[in-house]
Amino acid sequence: RLISEPQVKKGHNGQIGLYFGEVARVADVESSLAPLASLPKLPKKDVVVKFEPDMKRRLEMSAFAKACADGAKPGDGSVACCGDRAFPVARSDTALVIIDMQTDFLTKEGRVGQHYQDSPVCSGMAGVKRCLAAARAAGLTIAHSRSHRYGASVRDDLVGTSDVGYELHPECAALPGEIVVDKWTF
């Protein structure tokens, strides 16, 4: 499957984005982002997180999503993708999102990983580390998520306790200033 255009009105994957793991080779991501590392640093933005309904922000995001449906705008660079496609990358509005790279999922000793002794639970780790290094060097926003869900149960007892298994795997852990989101589902 190739997913390199905005995914509009497509259920769970309705968010706009490029799923590098499905459409781009790690080496292409690295070589595409490398020139961005030499560009001047972007000014830091003050991030304000608001959870109450904000109609102005909702309308801005709706307009942005609709504009993306007409095609991606040019970026500071682009990532070569499978199928002779390219995805523009603008450091001002492109993020690398790393999902659920937690120790419990990625090690054979982990609460989940222990049930997958015969599978290569860390098979994607090298690629994630390489993409993460390239995105950091390019100055992209980096966001990590951690899942509270372990099979059918939600483990809210692990949040904020520095539980080693719940934490991001040390090889791809968040650096100061990177976003970490705790989520309740997969």
Side-chain angles (χ1 to χ4, degrees), residues 112-162:
V112 176
Q114 67 181 315
H115 301 292
Y116 298 93
Q117 294 287 329
D118 297 328
S119 70
V121 293
C122 284
S123 64
M125 181 66 77
V128 170
K129 286 172 36 181
R130 289 170 55 193
C131 285
L132 183 57
R136 284 173 172 159
L140 298 183
T141 297
I142 309 294
H144 306 261
S145 76
R146 297 184 293 197
S147 178
H148 295 239
R149 185 169 294 282
Y150 285 72
S153 62
V154 173
R155 296 292 307 269
D156 57 355
D157 58 313
L158 302 176
V159 180
T161 62
S162 298

Side-chain angles (χ1 to χ4, degrees), residues 77-89:
S78 67
V79 174
C81 301
C82 300
D84 296 324
R85 298 176 179 202
F87 186 83
V89 174

Side-chain angles (χ1 to χ4, degrees), residues 38-88:
S38 63
L39 295 175
K41 299 277 186 229
L42 293 174
K44 291 285 183 189
K45 295 180 186 176
D46 289 330
V47 177
V48 177
V49 178
K50 292 171 66 174
F51 292 103
E52 67 268 5
D54 181 344
M55 286 307 294
K56 180 180 177 219
R57 176 75 175 149
R58 185 179 299 175
L59 292 172
E60 288 171 358
M61 294 310 297
S62 175
F64 177 74
K66 289 173 184 172
C68 288
D70 294 331
K73 66 180 183 178
D76 300 315
S78 67
V79 174
C81 301
C82 300
D84 296 324
R85 298 176 179 202
F87 186 83

